[in-house]
Amino acid sequence: MNIDAEARIKALRDELHTHNHRYYAENKPSINDYQFDLLLKELEQLEAAHPEYADTNSPTKRVGGDITERFAKVKHRYPMLSLSNTYNIDEIRDWEVRVKKGTDKKIQYVCELKYDGVAIGITYVKGELLRAVTRGDGETGEDVTANIKTIRSVPLQLRGNDYPDDFEIRGEVFLPLAKFAEMNVQRLEDGDEPYMNPRNTASGTLKLQDSSTVASRSLDCFLYGIYGERLPAHTHYGNMQAAAKWGFKVPSNLNRQIELCSSIEEIENFIAYWDEARCKLPFDIDGVVIKVNDYEAQRELGFTAKSPRWATAYKFKAQQVSTLLEKVVYQIGRTGAITPVANLKPVLLAGTVVKRASLHNADQIAKLDLREGDTVFVEKGGEIIPKVIAVDISKRSSGSTPLVYATNCNECGTLLERNEGEAQHYCPNAAGCPPQIKGRLEHFISRKAMNIDGLGAETIAQLYDEGLIANAADIYDLTKEQLLPLDRLAEKSVNNLLAGVLASKAIPFERVLYALGIRHVGETIARKLARYFGSIDALQVAGLDELTGIEDIGEAIAVSVHQFFADEQNLGIIERLKAHGLQFQTARTAALQDGPLSGKTFVISGVFQNFERDDLKLLVETKGGKVAGSVSGKTDYLVAGENMGPSKRKKAEDMGVTIIDEARFTAMINQA
């Protein structure tokens, strides 16, 4: 036993748990991101060197990596009932009267925000996170523990020592509005339809099989209810205060997100305040929840068949305004996708002046029977820009005519196309449509791609208009002599630009792949493809079957990748970028091209005695092999653990894939 290593691992875990709590629950970071990453990296290295000290609740598990074949069904120890709700303040008054009639106790109420997210129940045993289960049908939910562990505001290990040995805490998982907007900007850039709203996106994210993808989406969680025996307080409010001390992110009375009330007037004041202030929150709420504070009074009041009598919810009406639709314009993205946008008569909505609203696609325009000059209703619901939801037909002019959707690109005049099964129209003139070309160049140099200092959208447009660049490879041919005569480019800025171009040659392969701008290939998919194939050459010759065999790579992505590499112009640009020295293989591929498992593809499935699944994947990759998410004709070995799905085994047998158990895999790795 290495006592020094064990002690350091424990100390690092405790320190990182503390820093996570201060940053995500208290919003009071005590170190910067760089210092945190150094500590995390040290812990990762120690855990890799000493697997005997593995811990499923280590801070290193926050980044995810587990692949879940299916989510196990779990029966709730305490049913997750829904709340009665209303949009009518008079019904809240009636509820408060019924509460007073139902108990002789003096009643206090707790008012909280009604978060617009996904209900979750998390069980802790002896201070450690054991299991997280979705609401499901209220009686039975799905085990999404691996995904919940990626949420940094959810503690893996509780603080202090006065918590119950075994209890459940419930709350709401949500997607912050800033992250939702960022994801939708990226989806539009990648040629995908934007997500409809943060709640559905959060729900879909929790159902993803790959927890590393869940981790990348930065979900958050507020906890607001404790269930169990021997709780520290006899009131809901008291237990929420205790939960905050244990490390949970709970509603705070400092910002009025939770409040004790003694009268209906105080309840109404809380509702009125948040009906106005909700637009300032960094997440969506759709109302206010009112609960009886005292647990004994809750027991006296009891339940109906569907909901508790001691709690109810007031729901806010959607924030809407009406205004004039002046004109419909069409935006062209870098992938050629056409997005119709409504230009509106400026109107105040949820604290901001709205001038434009999303119309999504031709089907949405037809569904609304939208016409220029219409009075329309506009709603804000976490969208990048507000959306038009309806038309006030009573105010429509008798001379109005139906809107005819664009047939040609308004920039280059090319006839638009619409692929079967897709909602958007596209301009197919990728090589000659200026917004597409500039958009691809802007994407290539963006912060999450090549991150070229000294180059921005204005400079890209200037260089394109001057005929100096038309594709990514042209950027690396730029010279000082070409740049100095241009407006707004003095010698210092030119030197900075060229230095940024030179520095970008060290950007790793996964970001170069993302920078190429392949439709549907965002950051996460680029990372998966780079990790799986290891080089642009291997990816370039991949067939559709091999692509769709990779976890989270569906047919649309596979077809898009295949079509990109079938284009001779794209291949020519890649060859020029290679010649300029950009990274087109991973560092691991470069180091392990001759590794003992080089050329072998493994699928790892089930539960193992001596390893976490991530550990097995790492072992394969450090020996030069590949790890795939599903069995295909390119699979060499299926490593079968306990509880592996029978369909995966049968598929492997049908394809003649060699199936090995944990012991044989270990022997193979040791021999390698």
Side-chain angles (χ1 to χ4, degrees), residues 11 307 328 374 383 391 511:
S307 59
V328 174
D374 274 344
E383 296 287 334
V391 176
R511 285 174 57 187

Side-chain angles (χ1 to χ4, degrees), residues 436-483:
Q436 293 187 58
I437 297 170
K438 292 178 185 178
R440 287 196 298 272
L441 289 166
E442 288 172 18
H443 173 76
F444 184 83
I445 59 102
S446 64
R447 181 176 59 84
K448 294 183 178 180
M450 301 306 291
N451 192 27
I452 299 179
D453 287 339
L455 265 181
E458 287 187 9
T459 306
I460 285 290
Q462 184 181 15
L463 294 173
Y464 173 79
D465 293 340
E466 292 288 341
L468 294 177
I469 59 172
N471 59 60
D474 291 341
I475 293 172
Y476 294 87
D477 290 329
L478 291 170
T479 66
K480 191 171 184 178
E481 291 70 26
Q482 289 175 313
L483 297 172

Side-chain angles (χ1 to χ4, degrees), residues 9 13 17 43 47 50-66 123-125 127-131 144-151 154-157 211 607-615:
I9 286 172
R13 286 172 179 164
H17 281 313
L43 179 58
E47 288 179 341
H50 299 278
E52 65 270 23
Y53 304 134
D55 183 351
T56 57
N57 283 335
S58 169
T60 59
K61 300 299 182 184
R62 291 284 197 188
V63 297
D66 290 340
T123 298
Y124 286 80
V125 175
E128 292 194 352
L129 192 157
L130 175 68
R131 183 185 299 112
V144 291
T145 307
N147 289 342
I148 290 297
K149 283 184 176 182
T150 70
I151 302 175
V154 175
L156 303 178
Q157 171 70 56
S211 61
V607 179
F608 300 90
Q609 293 292 323
N610 301 311
F611 298 94
E612 292 291 323
R613 201 179 306 186
D614 281 352
D615 298 332

Side-chain angles (χ1 to χ4, degrees), residues 221-452:
C221 183
F222 272 110
L223 287 308
Y224 49 64
I226 299 179
Y227 297 78
E229 305 296 328
R230 292 183 289 278
L231 300 180
H234 298 293
T235 63
H236 169 64
Y237 191 82
N239 281 323
M240 285 296 92
Q241 290 180 310
K245 294 177 182 177
W246 302 337
F248 291 109
K249 183 173 182 175
V250 300
S252 170
N253 60 0
L254 297 177
N255 50 23
R256 288 199 72 180
Q257 290 184 17
I258 186 171
E259 201 166 274
L260 273 173
C261 298
S262 299
S263 67
I264 187 63
E265 289 77 19
E266 291 178 358
I267 292 173
E268 289 183 27
N269 286 340
F270 187 88
I271 291 172
Y273 174 81
W274 282 110
D275 198 4
E276 290 294 325
R278 57 180 161 140
C279 63
K280 299 175 184 177
L281 290 168
F283 48 82
D284 273 344
I285 64 171
D286 59 357
V288 165
V289 175
I290 308 107
K291 302 173 184 174
V292 170
N293 187 33
D294 183 78
Y295 286 160
E296 183 60 37
Q298 288 184 9
R299 283 189 284 271
E300 286 184 26
L301 290 163
F303 300 82
T304 68
K306 295 183 179 180
S307 59
R309 292 191 178 93
W310 46 266
T312 192
Y314 178 85
K315 297 193 74 173
F316 298 133
K317 295 179 177 65
Q319 294 175 303
Q320 296 178 2
V321 292
S322 65
T323 189
L324 186 70
L325 169 59
E326 296 179 333
K327 189 174 181 60
V328 174
V329 297
Y330 299 89
Q331 293 181 336
I332 297 96
R334 65 175 173 82
T335 62
I338 307 296
T339 304
V341 176
N343 282 352
L344 306 169
K345 182 178 180 181
V347 62
L348 186 66
L349 172 61
T352 59
V353 175
V354 173
K355 299 178 182 179
R356 291 153 60 81
S358 172
L359 296 174
H360 295 295
N361 51 56
D363 291 343
Q364 181 70 5
I365 289 174
K367 180 181 177 181
L368 294 172
D369 183 24
L370 203 63
R371 307 179 185 191
E372 290 180 348
D374 274 344
T375 297
V376 296
F377 294 101
V378 183
E379 182 178 295
K380 245 186 181 180
E383 296 287 334
I384 304 168
I385 54 176
K387 59 183 177 181
V388 173
I389 58 167
V391 176
D392 188 344
I393 300 296
S394 67
K395 295 183 178 178
R396 172 173 284 172
S397 166
S398 59
S400 71
T401 57
L403 186 71
V404 178
Y405 199 83
T407 57
N408 294 75
C409 175
N410 57 297
E411 291 284 345
C412 68
T414 304
L415 188 68
L416 300 182
E417 295 179 357
R418 182 177 181 178
N419 297 327
E420 186 176 351
E422 293 190 358
Q424 285 183 300
H425 286 72
Y426 292 87
C427 170
N429 184 22
C433 184
Q436 293 187 58
I437 297 170
K438 292 178 185 178
R440 287 196 298 272
L441 289 166
E442 288 172 18
H443 173 76
F444 184 83
I445 59 102
S446 64
R447 181 176 59 84
K448 294 183 178 180
M450 301 306 291
N451 192 27
I452 299 179

